[in-house]
Each structure stands twice: as structure tokens, then as C-alpha cells.
Amino acid sequence: MFRTALRNVLAHKARLLMTVLAVMLGVAFVSGTLVFTNTISDAYQNSSAKGFKGVDVAVQARYQDSKGDQVGKVPDLTQALLDKAAKVPGAASATGVVSGFTAIADKDGKLIGGGWQSAGGNYWGTEDARYPLVSGHAPSGANEVLIDAKTAGRAGYKVGDTVRVSVDGPVLKPTVVGIFTTDDGNVAAGGSLALFDTATAQRLFGKKGAYDEIDVTAKSGTGQAALKSQLDEALPKKLVETTTGQKLADDQAKAISSSMSGLRQGLLVFAGIALFVGTFIIANTFTMLVAQRTKELALLRAVGASRRQVTRSVLIEAFVVGAVAGVTGLVAGIGIGAGLRSLLGSLGATVPDGPLVITPGTVAAALAVGVVITMLAAWLPGRRAAKIPPVAAMSALHSAPTTKSLVLRNTIGALFSAAGVVVILAATTMSGSDGQAPMGLGAVLLIIGVFVLTPLLSRPLIAAAAPLLRGFGVAGKLARQNSVRNPRRTAATASALMIGLTLITGMTVMAGSLQKSIDRMASSAIRADYVVSMANGNALSPDVAKAVAATDGVTAYSPLRNAPSRIDGETEYLTGVNGPAIGKLTDLTVDSGSFKVGGSDVVVDADTAKSRGWKTGSAFTVHYEDGKAQRLTVAGIYEGNQMIQGIMLDNAVLTPHQTDPVDMQVMVKTADGASSATKDRLEKALGSNPAIKVQDKQDLSNSIAQSFTLILNMVYGLLAMAVIVAVLGVINTLAMSVFERSQEIGMLRAIGLDRKAVKRMVRLESLVISLFGGVLGLGLGVFFGWAAGQLVGAKMPTYELVLPWARMAVFLLLAGTVGVLAALWPARRAAKLNVLAAIKAE
């Protein structure tokens, strides 16, 4: 039986090629994902480990829990603590570390590095072992700075140049006095690092004589654990905590691995979709191969082969196909992993240098996926063939499925579909996070149910295309009949496209609806012409608001200032605003009272008011971060949203209680409204700072929706894999169908059907099957998009379902194009059949 199985593989190698390709693509996606994520993770971990090379023990401030009415805070690491750490017997040296966001502009005024990758810090003394100087000298004073060698190379800076930098808003113009090298992972990943002398860094980053961390190096012969013990004894445990450099490196490695797991899981989901679609193709292929060899298998049964041996022979064929697909998919996956890494570089997302990582787990996963998926898909056709009695198989009495099996299939499909719809509808009534898992379960149940019901659905839906097919004469009529001749095969072929288009349509509906809701939110909630903020989302210096207020044409402005507080024993963040101006800058719906902010009067969003039981006129006591208390009154309750919410009070009341007031953004109203000239005037008033964004309503909406657009484009690219696999499935099905109908096609040719009509018949059959899958996919996608929107709408009052009719038409056109292209080779093959040879075919 083993030799028989191998002979069958070799005899049908051309027909199995499409199956190998389908499995190979899925395996390549899986192995490519693992290679890519392992390579990136390993590169970051190695780069991170180098950053802790000179740190034996790190001393960090311990967060102090809130007590009474005080808001918890992180204590300062003072110079006195650093001196104590340096005097520990096992310490060779102690370095005070200060760090924060620092944007560096290139010579064209554009930001170098991407947001969080733009960092700044302090250079310790005149010679800092952490940052070896390539040229120049240590910085001294506010007008001197060092920049890393990679940033200097990218921007073309050299010692003596003036560079424009920004820490929290205002532009600084220090001179580059030195260039250094660093193992910092962010710099290796395309970011930038600027270093000031310690006093300047402390002033710029708001430390005022303190440090973010104290790094201690051990004397020769003193281990990290021993040094940590000495520091624990010498330093106050209530204020600080110590961590060895090895543990810091290990924790960082775990954090990097954890951050990569989300990307890995997301990519593997799409790989799973491609494999799921490929499973239909494999099952289809083996079903047809087994059907073609029914008499051969019956003969084997007649001469003594058992059912188990027949099934085993089919599984051996599947094992060979899966092994070949697994090996080729692994090789292709390594190429995909390398390609994805190069793609990141071309998109500007540089990653640290490092080798391509191919782990034994990746190899094992590729081979296991290829073999297991193929054998599972081939098991049912093999088992079905083994159950056919030899006499029935030889006389082809097995061809039509029984009524009982069809009723059972349709009943199971209806139950799964109904359960899926019920679970999804129930999930839409839940809150966002609670409804996610039930909705995912309902989606899986519904897709399985529709797949099982697809043979039943194929007849009425394909019959609806009959009027259009009549225009193609006999070829159109034959195409319609052929497409419903074997509903199960048609269903398996159409389902591959259905799944891909379901996901694409659902994501498109969600993205379009979210974009519309964000546009409505921005236009309905904000009257301000512009919103000023930092490019990386960090806080702005209060000087920015002062510069905005002094700009010609500004009629109203309000910095938005966040601050922690305690209300009824719970932490609550307050939003400080310019009380007299905030009403001119926002357009929020007021449910009760008035939008009056000033003195002890505050306004509260409806959700917060509901959760605390407040109404208009309610009074409550707030404890600020400095420990002082004040009685405030709710003057009004408004409808909040994702852009504006919380408790608003006047900055004149809030700011005196803040030790280091900073703004999250500044809202601006101008006399001339939003225009390019007004925007230029504001940007120039802020020093043409690349670290600061000046955005109008549309810019703000686009920046919020940008992440959705990026995700959508990634989904389109990833689901293209599933569509390619589906194309292979259509080609495979049509090729097999042509082979099975060789005698029939020969008879049609003999009675007058010419080659063009034969080609047209096969193409129309493919087109009908593909459009059938496309219609099902669009229908399910719209339903899933609506259901997911119900969850989002519960948290976003401006959410509105938007059906992207133009894109949906493109998707349906894409399905039709897939059908036409997939039919090119099978149609050509059918037209080339020799009439006499085809008539004699069994």
C-alpha cells in the first residue's frame, strides 16, 4: 500500500501541484512570521543588553502610596542619596542619570527619529564611559550639546554646528560640541539622543538637583548581588529600590518579547486564515482525486485491502504532499522574514543590526503545519472512499449523496448559523470589553454554519444569475448547470473567497464608520480653529500657551492641563482650562446647568457625574496634589467624548496647587479662522518647532484615524495571501472538473460546440462560483461590521454605520476578476482536448 500511495503521488503530480502551492503559502506565512518576529526581538534584546553593560546595580525611586488626602508620588533621588551610594564599600563609582524627551531637528527643520525614539539625557562629568566621544569635548552650560554619531551622520551635523532642539515646546539652539557613540537600542532603531551637562539636563527635564536613576558599578571582585545587598543596607528602603543590571537586562528582554508577542499573534492569525482557506482546497483536491480513483480503490478492496489500508494509502499521499509543502514553505518563509525586515527599513522604521534568527521551533512548526493540515484535510475523503463497498464503487452507484446526509448537513448548518446570529446579537447589547469574546465566538459559529449551508445556498443564488447567463447562449446555460452540478465542491471553492472577503469587508465597514464618527466628534465638540500639541504626545511647557496668546489674530485660547487629585478617597484626574475662554473653544452638549468654569464652579461630563451621583448644584471636596483641600460646585453637566471629558476647572484655581504645571495641548481660536496663512503665523510664533504640531479639525481627525487606516492597509496586504490561496483553489477545482468532464466535453465538441464556446463555458462557470463566494463574503462582512460597530457605538456617541458602497463594488469586481483569471488555464486546457480521445475517456 505504501508503494501504491507513492505511485499515485507521482502519477498525479501535476494535479497535486496546486495543493502543494496552497499549503506552501500558508506554511511560508507561518514560518516567515516566526522568523521575522524572532529576528526583530533578538536584535532589540541584544541591543538592550548592551545598554546595561556598565550598570551593576540601578537605584530607582520607590513610588509612595497615597496616604490620607495626599496624592501618591515618586520621591526625588537627591545628590545626598547618590553620595551615599558612591561610598558603599563594594562600589567603584556612582552615576546620576537624568533623561527625557528631546526632539532634534535636521537641517530642513524636520524631526529626526520617531516620537518616543527622540530622547535626551545628561553627560556625566568630563568623561562618561557610557558615551565614548568620537570627536569634540564634554558639554558645559545651556548652550552646548552632544549628539549621537548615527543622528549626526543622518542629518549631516558636525562639531561646531548650531542645532535646533526642543524638550517641552520652546526651541533651543545650542552648539554641537561633541559627537559620541552609544549602544542605546532606540538610537539603533532610528531614534536620536542628545546629551547636556548634568545641571542643564536637570533644569530642562524638571529634576531641579535630582536624578531619575543612580547607576552604580561594582569594584573588582564584588558581585552584583553583593553590591545590591550593601546598597539596600545603606539607602532608605522607603524611598528607593535596587535592581541588579542582570535583572534589568532580563526584564527588558521579557518586555521586548512580550511587546513582540502581539505582533506575532496578529500575523499568525492571518497565517491561520490562509491555512484555513487552504484546507478547503486540500480537501477538494483529495475528494476529486479519490473520486477519480474510485474503481481503482474498489479493486484494491476486492483483492484484499482493508478499509484502514485504503484510508492509510490516501493519508500517505497527503503526508508526502504536506512534507514537500512544509519544506518549500519553510524556505519561502525565511525569505519572507528577511523581506519583512528589509521592508521596515524602507519604511523608515530602522531596527538594530543582528542575524536572521531561525530557531528549531520555527522549523518544527513549519513542517508540522504542512504535514498536519494536509493530512487532516485528506482524512475525510480517504475515510469516505474506504467506506464505499467495492461492488458499488465499480458500478459508480456511490456518486449521488443520500437525502439523509443532505438533510443532516443542512440541519447542522442551520443550527450553527442560528447559534452564531443569536450570540452576536446578544454581544451587541453588552459593553465594549465584555462583548468582544462572545462576538468572536458568534462570528466563528456563523462562518462555520454558512460554510456548511453553502451547498444549499448555492442553488438559489446561482439561479439568480440565470437571466444574465442566457445572454451567452448554450455556453451560459451549461456554465450555470455545471456550477450547481456538485454543490459541495462549489461550496468549498466559493467558501475560500467568502472568508477573505468577509474579513476585508468587515474591516472596511468598521474603518469607514470610525472615520465618519471621528470627523463628527471633531466638528461637533471643538469650535477652536487649531489644537497645538507635542509630536510625541508629551506635555507642553506653559511657555507655549504664552507664545500662542501673544500671536497676532488669536482671539481666544485655552491650555488643557491635567492634574491628579483625591475625591472621596479615590484618585481622579482634573482638567484645568482657561475658564473665560473654554466656552468659545468647545461646542459640547450641556445636559443640565450651564457651561460655566471659574472660581469654585466646575463642569463635569455625564459619565463621571453618573458614577459619582452628582447633579447640577452638587458640591464635593477635592484634595490637590499638594495636599490642600477645596470645596467645588458642579455648575453644569455636559456630554463628553474621547476628545474632551472629565472634571473641568479654571487653571487659575488649579495651577497654584501644582509643583510642575505642564499642558497636554492648547486650543486656539483666531479672527481669520483656519487658513494656511494663520497656521504659518502660529508655527512661526512657536519657533517653527518640528516637535510641535499645529492641527486644524481635519488634521486632528486624520491623525486619530491614521492608526485605523494603517491597520486596514496591513489587513488588506495580509488577507491578499488568503485571496491568492483562494485563486489557487478555483484553478484547482476547475482543472479537476475539466478532467472529470473530459468525455462530456468531447461529446459537446462532437455535436458542434466550438472551442471558443468551451472556453466561455468554463470561464462563466468560474465567474459564477467566484461571484457566489463574493456575495456571501460581502453579506457576512457587512453584518460583522454592523455588529462590531454596536460595541464601539456604546462608547462613542457619534458612531454611525457607513456602508462603503464604492469599495464593496470593487471587492465584488475583484471576486469576478479572480474567477476570470483562475479560469484561463483550465478553459484553455478544456478547449484543447482531442474530441475522439475525450469521448473514449472513462
Side-chain angles (χ1 to χ4, degrees):
M1 294 302 293
F2 182 74
R3 288 197 300 270
T4 301
L6 290 180
R7 180 179 61 79
N8 284 326
V9 171
L10 296 174
H12 302 107
K13 52 183 177 289
R15 275 174 264 162
L16 289 170
L17 177 61
M18 294 297 176
T19 303
V20 171
L21 284 174
V23 182
M24 185 200 75
L25 283 173
V27 172
F29 208 157
V30 171
S31 55
T33 294
L34 294 175
V35 169
F36 170 66
T37 53
N38 287 337
T39 297
I40 300 301
S41 180
D42 186 72
Y44 273 112
Q45 287 177 20
N46 290 338
S47 177
S48 175
K50 291 178 182 176
F52 295 111
K53 187 168 57 178
V55 181
D56 288 315
V57 178
V59 180
Q60 297 166 322
R62 187 187 297 276
Y63 180 83
Q64 292 179 320
D65 294 331
S66 305
K67 293 183 179 180
D69 296 329
Q70 293 278 347
V71 177
K73 61 179 181 178
V74 178
D76 290 332
L77 296 178
T78 62
Q79 183 66 38
L81 287 173
L82 187 144
D83 293 338
K84 278 188 179 181
K87 292 176 182 177
V88 166
S93 64
T95 302
V97 178
V98 184
S99 60
F101 170 75
T102 302
I104 304 178
D106 62 18
K107 291 185 176 181
D108 295 325
K110 296 180 180 179
L111 178 66
I112 299 174
W116 61 273
Q117 294 176 324
S118 303
N122 67 311
Y123 189 85
W124 189 250
T126 57
E127 195 171 327
D128 194 331
R130 298 173 299 169
Y131 308 112
L133 287 173
V134 176
S135 60
H137 58 81
S140 177
N143 294 320
E144 294 186 352
V145 68
L146 304 180
I147 60 175
D148 67 272
K150 289 191 175 182
T151 297
R154 288 200 302 270
Y157 286 126
K158 60 184 184 297
V159 174
D161 287 345
T162 298
V163 62
R164 297 169 69 243
V165 302
S166 175
V167 172
D168 57 359
V171 175
L172 308 174
K173 297 180 181 179
T175 301
V176 177
V177 297
I179 295 173
F180 62 93
T181 59
T182 177
D183 291 324
D184 188 289
N186 289 335
V187 172
S192 63
L193 180 60
L195 299 177
F196 306 90
D197 67 68
T198 299
T200 301
Q202 288 174 326
R203 179 177 57 79
L204 291 175
F205 301 131
K207 284 302 166 184
K208 299 179 181 177
Y211 305 98
D212 293 307
E213 182 176 299
I214 298 172
D215 292 342
V216 186
T217 56
K219 289 180 179 178
S220 179
T222 303
Q224 291 187 353
L227 178 60
K228 181 180 183 303
S229 298
Q230 293 175 10
L231 288 168
D232 286 340
E233 291 180 8
L235 302 178
K237 291 183 179 180
K238 290 184 177 181
L239 295 180
V240 301
E241 56 185 353
T242 59
T243 311
T244 64
Q246 184 60 51
K247 189 174 188 308
L248 286 174
D250 293 342
D251 290 346
Q252 184 74 3
K254 288 179 183 177
I256 291 170
S257 180
S258 177
S259 66
M260 294 300 296
S261 67
L263 175 62
R264 183 184 295 113
Q265 289 171 5
L267 291 173
L268 286 176
V269 165
F270 289 100
I273 292 169
L275 285 169
F276 185 57
V277 172
T279 302
F280 297 146
I281 299 172
I282 302 164
N284 241 4
T285 302
F286 277 94
T287 298
M288 289 183 277
L289 286 175
V290 169
Q292 291 167 14
R293 289 164 33 216
T294 299
K295 290 187 178 181
E296 175 190 326
L297 296 174
L299 184 60
L300 288 173
R301 291 285 313 282
V303 297
S306 66
R307 287 183 176 181
R308 187 172 297 175
Q309 285 178 310
V310 171
T311 304
R312 194 181 301 146
S313 70
V314 176
L315 291 179
I316 290 172
E317 292 180 49
F319 175 81
V320 174
V321 171
V324 171
V327 172
T328 54
L330 174 61
V331 174
I334 293 171
I336 289 174
L340 286 173
R341 179 172 174 172
S342 299
L343 179 62
L344 281 182
S346 65
L347 294 175
T350 312
V351 297
D353 296 330
L356 207 62
V357 178
I358 305 165
T359 64
T362 300
V363 176
L367 296 177
V369 166
V371 171
V372 172
I373 290 293
T374 309
M375 292 184 70
L376 284 176
W379 175 76
L380 188 59
R383 184 171 175 271
R384 191 183 298 138
K387 291 177 72 174
I388 300 170
V391 175
M394 289 181 180
S395 58
L397 296 176
H398 65 288
S399 55
T402 63
T403 304
K404 181 180 178 182
S405 68
L406 291 175
V407 170
L408 179 62
R409 178 182 179 124
N410 293 338
T411 302
I412 293 173
L415 290 174
F416 268 91
S417 299
V421 171
V422 168
V423 172
I424 289 173
L425 292 178
T428 60
T429 63
M430 303 177 184
S431 63
S433 56
D434 295 337
Q436 289 176 2
M439 185 162 292
L441 174 62
V444 171
L445 290 174
L446 182 55
I447 287 178
I448 292 174
V450 171
F451 170 66
V452 176
L453 283 176
T454 306
L456 179 66
L457 298 173
S458 64
R459 291 186 179 276
L461 288 178
I462 292 176
L468 296 175
L469 293 174
R470 288 196 192 103
F472 295 95
V474 175
K477 183 178 180 181
L478 290 171
R480 185 184 66 80
Q481 292 174 346
N482 290 334
S483 59
V484 295
R485 176 182 296 184
N486 191 333
R488 291 185 177 181
R489 185 187 303 166
T490 298
T493 306
S495 295
L497 271 176
M498 177 193 77
I499 292 171
L501 285 179
T502 295
L503 295 169
I504 291 174
T505 304
M507 289 296 296
T508 303
V509 169
M510 278 294 297
S513 301
L514 285 170
Q515 177 67 67
K516 180 72 172 179
S517 66
I518 291 168
D519 288 344
R520 288 181 61 192
M521 188 189 302
S523 60
S524 63
I526 299 176
R527 287 181 182 168
D529 296 317
Y530 293 100
V531 174
V532 179
S533 61
M534 289 293 284
N536 69 331
N538 276 10
L540 288 163
S541 165
D543 293 339
V544 172
K546 294 176 183 177
V548 167
T551 304
D552 291 340
V554 171
T555 57
Y557 79 99
S558 174
L560 270 62
R561 188 168 294 172
N562 287 350
S565 70
R566 302 281 293 179
I567 300 175
D568 296 332
E570 298 177 358
T571 299
E572 184 78 55
Y573 276 83
L574 306 173
T575 300
V577 298
N578 183 349
I582 191 65
K584 302 174 185 177
L585 299 166
T586 58
D587 191 17
L588 298 166
T589 302
V590 179
D591 293 341
S592 63
S594 61
F595 203 78
K596 178 185 176 185
V597 180
S600 62
D601 290 333
V602 301
V603 292
V604 184
D605 70 283
D607 289 342
T608 302
K610 183 179 179 181
S611 66
R612 293 193 173 274
W614 293 340
K615 297 179 180 179
T616 300
S618 296
F620 60 93
T621 301
V622 60
H623 296 269
Y624 299 106
E625 61 181 308
D626 63 356
K628 294 181 180 179
Q630 184 178 1
R631 196 75 173 164
L632 300 177
T633 303
V634 178
I637 297 174
Y638 66 94
E639 288 292 334
N641 54 50
Q642 278 69 25
M643 298 179 72
I644 301 175
Q645 58 185 330
I647 302 172
M648 289 190 201
L649 72 164
D650 199 337
N651 276 326
V653 175
L654 176 64
T655 303
H657 300 288
Q658 292 183 283
T659 55
D660 185 23
V662 290
D663 302 324
M664 296 311 298
Q665 58 186 32
V666 180
M667 303 175 75
V668 186
K669 186 79 173 172
T670 61
D672 299 330
S675 66
S676 57
T678 304
K679 186 174 183 179
D680 288 343
R681 191 160 59 245
L682 282 170
E683 288 178 340
K684 287 179 181 177
L686 296 171
S688 300
N689 192 330
I692 294 181
K693 296 185 294 186
V694 179
Q695 297 175 294
D696 60 20
K697 293 180 184 179
Q698 192 58 51
D699 292 334
L700 198 63
S701 176
N702 291 342
S703 66
I704 296 172
Q706 188 174 9
S707 58
F708 301 117
T709 305
L710 178 62
I711 292 172
L712 185 65
N713 290 335
M714 287 180 63
V715 169
Y716 285 163
L718 294 169
L719 287 176
M721 181 72 73
V723 174
I724 293 171
V725 175
V727 172
L728 293 174
V730 177
I731 295 172
N732 216 10
T733 300
L734 290 175
M736 294 288 187
S737 181
V738 167
F739 178 83
E740 283 184 348
R741 304 204 311 262
S742 295
Q743 190 178 52
E744 175 189 321
I745 292 171
M747 290 294 294
L748 290 172
R749 290 289 314 283
I751 61 175
L753 196 68
D754 61 16
R755 289 186 173 182
K756 286 185 178 180
V758 170
K759 286 183 179 179
R760 191 179 302 122
M761 176 186 71
V762 176
R763 288 171 184 164
L764 289 173
E765 179 184 349
S766 175
L767 179 63
V768 167
I769 292 173
S770 298
L771 289 177
F772 169 55
V775 169
L776 286 179
L778 289 177
L780 284 174
V782 169
F783 178 67
F784 290 147
W786 167 82
Q790 295 301 300
L791 289 181
V792 175
K795 295 289 184 181
M796 188 179 288
T798 57
Y799 184 84
E800 177 186 351
L801 180 67
V802 175
L803 295 181
W805 295 106
R807 289 201 178 189
M808 287 163 63
V810 171
F811 296 156
L812 197 59
L813 181 63
L814 173 65
T817 304
V818 165
V820 172
L821 294 177
L824 291 178
W825 177 64
R828 188 166 175 268
R829 186 181 176 208
K832 281 191 168 186
L833 284 175
N834 182 282
V835 176
L836 295 177
I839 291 173
K840 290 191 296 180
E842 293 187 2

